[in-house]
Amino acid sequence: MKNTLEEKNAAPSERPSMAASMTAAVLRRSLAWAALVLSCAAQAGTPPLSSYAHTAWNGQRGAPADVVQFTQTLDGWLWISSPNGLFRFDGVDFERMDSVQGHRLHSTNTLGLLTTRDGRLWVGGRFGGISMFADGRMRLFTEADGLPRGAVMTMTEGPDGSVWAATSTGLGHLAPGAARFRRVGLQEGLPEKPARQILYGRDGRQWVSVEGGIYFRDPGQASYRRAWPHIDLMAMAEAPDGTLWGSDGVDKHYRVLPATPRGKPQPRAELGGNGALFDRDGTMWILKVNALERRQAPYVGKAASAQQLTRAHGMSGPLPQSAFEDREGNLWIGTSAGLDRLRRTRLRPVPAATAFDRPGVIADERGGVIIGDRRQPLRRYDAQGAHESVGNLTLTAAYRAADGALWLASFNERWRRAASGALTRLPHPAHLAGYDMQAMTIDGQGRMWGSLSRQGVFRIEDDTWRKDGGLPGMPDGLALALATDPAGRVWAGFLRNRIALIDDTRVRVFGEADGLQLGDVQSLLVDGARIWAGGRDGLAWYDGLRWHGASVAGGQRLRGISGMVRTATGELWLYGSDGISRIGAADVGRLLREPAWPLPFERFDGLDGLVGSAEQLRPLPSMTQSSDGRLWFATASEVASIDPATVSRNRLAPPVQVLSLRSGDVAYPAQGRLRLPIGARDLRIAYTALSLAIPERVRFRYKLDGFDERWQDAGTRREAVYTNLRPGAYRFRVAAANEDGVWNDTGATLELVLPPRFVETGWFIALMVLLGAALLGALYWLRVRRLTERLRDRMQERLAERERIARGLHDTLLQSVQGLIMLFGQQARSLPIGTEERGKIEQTLDLADELMSEGRDCISDLRSAGEPEELGQALAQYGRVLLQQRFTASIQGKPRTLCARVRDEVQAIAREALFNASRHAGASKVELLIDYRPEALAVLVRDNGCGMAAPVAGTAPPRKHFGIVGMCERARALGAVCTLLSAPGQGTSMQLDIPAEQAYPGRRTAALFQRLRQRRRVHAEAA
């Protein structure tokens, strides 16, 4: 015996579960012989379920057995209760839940389930106790909290948010905000016996099933009254019209009334079954001992159109004991061996007691379809499944003419069915009998063209069949499809990628050179002035000039297209070997404007109720459209239909959750902000979307902020993998879309922190920078020290050389000159005073004294150990001694300290220039100009003397005359520029320019940056 649960006031995201209201022992009290007899009797004469996709689990993917109750939480998870534990399901994988939201269940032998409108999950134990989970918290209710002891059979939420618990010892009530349950019993007029189920009707009336019968009370009343019939009823379900049905738990359903009918009749069971559920469409689902039965209103009699799902049809097991409708409209059935899902398919199969054998379809003039195959007579079906016989014909080809007549053909004959329904038989010529008719059409002149297997194309006029219409140039082989355009021309699609256009007496053949890449051409569709062609390898259309192939978005293909229809709304429907493809009107328009545009499409296949695929040879076309707009599709054994205007859609965006994260061999719960261990760099992130209708079509995309630049299209994959991530903070985001492309863009997120190793921290980097800076500083200090030592050594060498030169000058040149002066002085004194000879000798002696004075000064400079004089002062003093009144000196800028080597060399160059002016220029005026500029040191010596014919620097110097050459060499050694300008009669000028980085101490670094800037500027200008 079993029980059901129908709850009107459940959370708006789900329909309440019809659950087993007793323990497994009570459920199995039914006798085995009775179950067998009832099962066989129920199946007799009842067709199987149609228009539903059925999936069964009995152990696959960890599915539980002996499923007793279902519920669906607001986050979309389907929760399943069984003696083997509590499970949850996302549509793909089952997961056993020993703990919920981090809290362990009080018992793994679960029974009652409930999700309240505020999102709380309630789990009842088979041996008592209720665990309530909400927002990461758990509350356990036991007998100490007022809960009646025993198994928690079912739980129900009241309109006011209260929770009612039916246990094996009585009924408990938890008021909104209360901390304890209150036992409801004799005080309220309710027997204190095992309770099975609580149900709130649409009118607010509360119904309670207890052992012995059903009781009720109206809103505002305190006491319960017993309902009729006065028998032990267990499971309850309310129909859309308010009728309450109660089951005895074996195989009988009764109408439950608040009062005893007049005359006190004996209770009479109107339906079988031990439990029931009414879905959102008002369909009644009855649980039978070994079957699930579907009934439509009024639920009783032939009008109910009863259909069944049994083990012979693939049900997961016997003893269906609970039913539940989720928020997407899927029906879930729990059996003793597993669970089943029923989902209404988008395609409606044509009901047939015997499977078709290669059926052909052609729409008729009354909104139906005529179906013929190799085994059964022609029959006409309407959208509701009603059918009637049309005639005895094996159908291989069909054609609807412009006058409304239907042409039907087989291997021996053609039949013309007029609009009135009258049939006219037209046999094939004797020599063509036995060859299947492949395709037919009528041209603009009323002549029929037909294609026969193994014979080719014929033009048929009255009883005359003419091969190829007598026209030259027709392709050889079989024409799989024929069509007539508005101009009356005939189009024929052949094997091996050929299409022929027959225009009265001319034939034009199109092939690969004309843009065709279809392989075998299997279908043709006239769309105004446009022609569509479908073949083994895709889709193409003719625009009046050439053929264009269609490329499909996502790298997919359209294969084996043997049926095409363009609807009144502009949609293009294709039927091929991969299923049915719908192309929206806007997409068709864009394809015609942009032939290279990747064409998106919607696919309908086995998940939508299509059993098989399109025929690839005969009968063709494999699809037709009836006058009411419905599309009909033929497979090898079935015919199904769909109304393009009323295709059912799932408008619920799927909730998305990140399930877990694995790094290395360790799994981590995906909760809050997750900080991984130091060194973690590889991630495997598992996620899911709670869409239970067609989870196989749920698509995902994800992005790891901080790593991914754009969203990653994961398709149907439910895991993201990352390797070799850098340390830092990341945010993982995942979004999903259901089977109809409705995206949940909010999706789910997970905050991640990958801590760095010490060698990856900022402290380590800063330490390395400091160590590097210290190392560079040490290298720089060592380099400076070495250069300083080298300069000191060179300075010592220069000082020693100067002292050597000074000694040499003093001991040789000056003493020799001094001896000559003394000798010439004795000679002068021996001459009479006033004589010319004595005057010349005395003049020569004066010059010799000056030479001696300069020599002593030079020696003094070479041996000077103190601070050198300022350059301007030293040169001015030298010029005044040498040139006296003819000399002027000018110093511009603030005098600055010069590098020692530079000072000595500049002084030597300038003194050489002054000396030359005094000895050779014959000038009346000699100027010295020193300019201390920030960027350079400039020294200028000029006179107004006789000048020179050409600068000596430009020619080879006379022997032993190296003054100007030496000046230039000294300048080059300093990195300076020495410029000598002179012309005969115009004087001479010598200018020395020394860069600041060479002249002034401490300017090397600044000069380096200046040179680099100048170099970059030069490169930029060159670029």
Side-chain angles (χ1 to χ4, degrees):
M1 296 186 295
K2 305 168 183 67
N3 189 22
T4 64
L5 176 61
E6 168 81 12
E7 185 186 347
K8 172 179 178 293
N9 300 291
S13 64
E14 65 175 47
R15 288 295 299 271
S17 168
M18 180 190 64
S21 61
M22 294 169 289
T23 63
V26 177
L27 287 172
R28 293 176 175 83
R29 287 188 307 178
S30 301
L31 298 176
W33 64 267
L36 179 61
V37 171
L38 289 172
S39 173
C40 295
Q43 294 180 45
T46 304
L49 278 174
S50 60
S51 302
Y52 287 85
H54 170 234
T55 307
W57 292 270
N58 48 7
Q60 304 95 325
R61 294 185 175 271
D66 198 8
V67 174
V68 292
Q69 288 193 41
F70 298 91
T71 191
Q72 188 175 25
T73 47
L74 298 184
D75 56 10
W77 284 101
L78 182 71
W79 296 82
I80 305 163
S81 176
S82 80
N84 302 313
L86 179 67
F87 293 78
R88 71 176 185 179
F89 185 49
D90 64 354
V92 176
D93 294 305
F94 294 89
E95 182 180 4
R96 182 187 177 103
M97 304 297 292
D98 293 329
S99 61
V100 179
Q101 299 180 5
H103 301 278
R104 292 192 63 83
L105 290 169
H106 73 282
S107 172
T108 57
N109 195 336
T110 60
L111 183 58
L113 290 178
L114 172 67
T115 298
T116 51
R117 290 186 292 272
D118 57 6
R120 292 179 294 173
L121 175 64
W122 303 71
V123 182
R126 191 174 293 268
F127 302 108
I130 297 175
S131 297
M132 186 274 292
F133 302 93
D135 301 326
R137 296 176 290 107
M138 188 196 83
R139 170 73 192 278
L140 177 63
F141 295 93
T142 62
E143 292 182 53
D145 301 294
L147 179 69
R149 63 182 177 82
V152 180
M153 306 299 237
T154 63
M155 292 175 284
T156 302
E157 183 181 15
D160 60 352
S162 59
V163 174
W164 297 80
T167 75
S168 58
T169 62
L171 181 66
H173 172 240
L174 181 66
R180 293 176 53 84
F181 275 86
R182 180 180 67 85
R183 186 181 183 92
V184 179
L186 296 176
Q187 185 177 353
E188 292 81 10
L190 189 70
E192 293 186 357
K193 295 182 178 181
R196 281 79 172 262
Q197 183 186 355
I198 307 97
L199 185 148
Y200 279 91
R202 288 170 172 80
D203 57 1
R205 177 177 289 170
Q206 184 191 42
W207 301 86
V208 180
S209 169
V210 298
E211 186 178 280
I214 294 176
Y215 291 77
F216 73 93
R217 65 178 178 182
D218 292 321
Q221 293 185 350
S223 299
Y224 290 89
R225 292 180 290 170
R226 191 173 187 184
W228 185 89
H230 299 161
I231 59 177
D232 188 11
L233 299 178
M234 299 182 180
M236 301 178 292
E238 185 184 32
D241 62 359
T243 300
L244 186 71
W245 293 85
S247 168
D248 64 355
V250 181
D251 193 47
K252 295 180 181 178
H253 264 95
Y254 299 84
R255 294 180 189 263
V256 179
L257 302 176
T260 304
R262 289 182 180 182
K264 298 181 179 180
Q266 288 294 321
R268 182 175 63 88
E270 299 183 57
L271 295 172
N274 51 61
L277 170 71
F278 292 90
D279 65 21
R280 63 186 63 181
D281 297 325
T283 301
M284 185 179 190
W285 298 88
I286 300 177
L287 302 178
K288 311 200 101 176
V289 175
N290 202 29
L292 173 70
E293 186 170 282
R294 174 183 180 268
R295 287 179 170 266
Q296 295 178 322
Y299 312 119
V300 178
K302 288 186 176 181
S305 301
Q307 295 179 330
Q308 286 191 351
L309 175 70
T310 67
R311 294 198 69 184
H313 305 130
M315 193 165 66
S316 63
L319 300 177
Q321 52 200 18
S322 61
F324 175 78
E325 186 182 25
D326 66 26
R327 62 183 187 177
E328 295 172 281
N330 305 299
L331 186 69
W332 297 86
I333 309 298
T335 70
S336 60
L339 69 158
D340 299 74
R341 180 187 63 197
L342 289 172
R343 171 177 50 80
R344 188 180 292 274
T345 57
R346 289 163 173 169
L347 279 85
R348 180 184 300 176
V350 171
T354 304
F356 296 105
D357 184 4
R358 308 290 174 180
V361 292
I362 182 69
D364 72 357
E365 69 284 350
R366 293 185 292 158
V369 65
I370 293 177
I371 304 175
D373 67 351
R374 298 178 181 274
R375 297 180 182 274
Q376 304 177 62
L378 283 176
R379 284 170 290 178
R380 179 191 178 275
Y381 290 82
D382 61 17
Q384 287 69 40
H387 65 275
E388 57 181 323
S389 179
V390 173
N392 192 8
L393 172 67
T394 300
L395 184 68
T396 63
Y399 170 69
R400 174 184 287 279
D403 60 1
L406 290 182
W407 289 85
L408 310 170
S410 68
F411 52 85
N412 280 326
E413 57 201 0
R414 292 175 296 145
W415 291 80
R416 183 181 185 275
R417 183 174 184 266
S420 62
L423 285 172
T424 302
R425 180 176 180 271
L426 301 170
H428 292 177
H431 69 284
L432 296 177
Y435 296 103
D436 290 334
M437 181 69 77
Q438 175 71 36
M440 295 180 290
T441 190
I442 296 177
D443 64 16
Q445 300 182 33
R447 300 171 299 187
M448 173 166 281
W449 292 77
S451 174
L452 288 181
S453 64
R454 302 192 303 277
Q455 294 299 309
V457 177
F458 292 83
R459 188 175 68 195
I460 308 171
E461 297 181 79
D462 297 328
D463 294 332
T464 303
W465 293 53
R466 192 170 184 181
K467 179 72 183 309
D468 296 335
L471 303 177
M474 284 285 287
D476 59 341
L478 178 66
L480 297 176
L482 296 172
T484 302
D485 64 18
R489 300 175 299 178
V490 174
W491 295 79
F494 289 85
L495 299 173
R496 297 184 294 278
N497 196 44
R498 294 170 298 168
I499 295 178
L501 171 59
I502 307 171
D503 187 2
D504 196 10
T505 60
R506 293 175 300 173
V507 177
R508 180 182 177 187
V509 180
F510 300 94
E512 185 174 355
D514 303 288
L516 277 181
Q517 293 182 344
L518 297 180
D520 298 335
V521 180
Q522 298 168 306
S523 59
L524 295 169
L525 172 65
V526 176
D527 183 19
R530 189 179 300 105
I531 305 295
W532 296 89
R536 187 187 64 223
D537 296 331
L539 173 70
W541 79 95
Y542 184 68
D543 61 3
L545 298 175
R546 64 175 285 111
W547 289 89
H548 301 278
S551 60
V552 183
Q556 303 182 72
R557 297 182 61 188
L558 298 171
R559 294 178 290 194
I561 301 174
S562 60
M564 296 187 291
V565 167
R566 186 84 187 271
T567 66
T569 59
E571 294 180 343
L572 181 63
W573 289 74
L574 310 174
Y575 185 31
S577 56
D578 292 327
I580 303 166
S581 302
R582 185 194 71 87
I583 303 171
D587 296 327
V588 173
R590 183 170 179 182
L591 175 66
L592 297 177
R593 295 190 305 271
E594 306 173 31
W597 180 60
L599 182 65
F601 66 91
E602 180 182 13
R603 176 64 54 80
F604 299 87
D605 53 22
L607 295 174
D608 303 282
L610 181 66
V611 179
S613 61
E615 182 57 63
Q616 300 295 295
L617 181 58
R618 275 187 298 275
L620 297 182
S622 57
M623 176 174 66
T624 187
Q625 184 178 30
S626 54
S627 58
D628 61 356
R630 181 173 290 273
L631 300 175
W632 301 81
F633 308 90
T635 69
S637 59
E638 290 196 3
V639 176
S641 68
I642 190 172
D643 185 356
T646 59
V647 177
S648 61
R649 300 295 183 186
N650 184 357
R651 304 299 181 187
L652 294 177
V656 186
Q657 285 192 17
V658 179
L659 299 178
S660 65
L661 182 146
R662 178 175 291 274
S663 180
D665 296 329
V666 182
Y668 303 90
Q671 297 176 355
R673 184 179 176 88
L674 185 60
R675 184 178 181 88
L676 297 179
I678 294 175
R681 294 295 178 267
D682 300 336
L683 304 179
R684 301 180 71 92
I685 305 174
Y687 49 82
T688 189
L690 285 307
S691 181
L692 303 179
I694 312 182
E696 298 88 345
R697 288 185 182 163
V698 174
R699 297 187 61 83
F700 297 89
R701 62 188 180 199
Y702 60 80
K703 182 181 180 184
L704 184 63
D705 293 337
F707 181 81
D708 291 325
E709 295 182 358
R710 60 182 63 87
W711 286 89
Q712 307 295 317
D713 185 359
T716 59
R717 182 163 45 87
R718 299 183 177 228
E719 186 180 56
V721 179
Y722 292 93
T723 58
N724 297 324
L725 291 173
R726 293 182 299 178
Y730 296 92
R731 185 186 184 205
F732 179 76
R733 294 186 288 163
V734 57
N738 66 11
E739 68 272 18
D740 286 312
V742 179
W743 281 92
N744 180 350
D745 289 320
T746 302
T749 61
L750 177 63
E751 303 288 340
L752 299 170
V753 177
L754 274 61
R757 304 180 182 91
F758 175 71
V759 296
E760 298 171 323
T761 62
W763 288 107
F764 179 79
I765 295 173
L767 180 61
M768 290 297 99
V769 171
L770 290 176
L771 289 176
L775 179 60
L776 291 176
L779 293 175
Y780 177 76
W781 179 79
L782 291 174
R783 177 63 175 170
V784 170
R785 180 179 177 183
R786 182 179 179 186
L787 291 176
T788 303
E789 291 177 351
R790 290 178 60 185
L791 289 175
R792 183 180 297 112
D793 293 341
R794 293 179 62 183
M795 183 62 71
Q796 293 297 331
E797 292 175 358
R798 291 186 61 188
L799 291 176
E801 181 66 16
R802 290 172 62 162
E803 292 179 354
R804 185 186 64 80
I805 294 173
R807 287 194 301 270
L809 289 174
H810 182 270
D811 296 339
T812 57
L813 179 60
L814 292 186
Q815 289 187 3
S816 299
V817 172
Q818 182 66 37
L820 289 174
I821 292 174
M822 293 176 63
L823 178 60
F824 276 94
Q826 293 177 359
Q827 293 295 329
R829 285 193 295 272
S830 65
L831 295 175
I833 297 174
T835 61
E836 182 178 357
E837 290 78 0
R838 182 169 180 167
K840 290 180 179 181
I841 293 175
E842 288 178 351
Q843 185 178 5
T844 300
L845 290 175
D846 291 337
L847 292 175
D849 289 336
E850 292 179 9
L851 178 60
M852 286 292 295
S853 178
E854 290 178 6
R856 292 189 184 94
D857 292 340
C858 181
I859 293 173
S860 176
D861 290 340
L862 288 173
R863 290 186 171 273
S864 174
E867 289 294 327
E869 294 182 275
E870 193 271 323
L871 178 65
Q873 296 177 358
L875 291 178
Q877 181 180 358
Y878 180 81
R880 283 193 293 270
V881 171
L882 188 62
L883 296 167
Q884 299 180 3
Q885 291 81 7
R886 295 179 292 164
F887 175 76
T888 59
S890 176
I891 298 176
Q892 297 180 1
K894 183 179 180 181
R896 304 176 62 173
T897 303
L898 303 177
C899 297
R901 177 170 174 266
V902 172
R903 178 188 176 281
D904 294 342
E905 297 297 337
V906 170
Q907 185 171 347
I909 294 171
R911 293 176 76 174
E912 180 67 25
L914 291 174
F915 186 80
N916 288 340
S918 67
R919 290 292 185 267
H920 308 295
S924 61
K925 183 178 180 181
V926 179
E927 294 180 278
L928 170 66
L929 176 62
I930 302 177
D931 189 359
Y932 293 92
R933 294 197 296 266
E935 69 277 6
L937 172 67
V939 178
L940 174 64
V941 177
R942 61 188 175 188
D943 61 62
N944 59 355
C946 61
M948 295 183 292
V952 177
T955 60
R959 186 179 181 185
K960 299 183 181 181
H961 291 276
F962 296 97
I964 295 177
V965 175
M967 292 164 57
C968 294
E969 291 175 349
R970 289 176 183 270
R972 282 195 299 271
L974 289 177
V977 177
C978 181
T979 305
L980 186 65
L981 299 176
S982 182
Q986 297 183 8
T988 303
S989 67
M990 186 281 302
Q991 182 165 342
L992 184 66
D993 294 293
I994 308 173
E997 63 268 23
Q998 303 291 342
Y1000 309 135
R1003 291 298 303 270
R1004 302 287 292 183
T1005 303
L1008 174 62
F1009 290 132
Q1010 184 177 0
R1011 290 197 304 272
L1012 291 176
R1013 285 195 299 269
Q1014 292 174 351
R1015 183 174 300 174
R1016 286 196 298 268
R1017 189 181 301 116
V1018 170
H1019 290 330
E1021 292 174 353

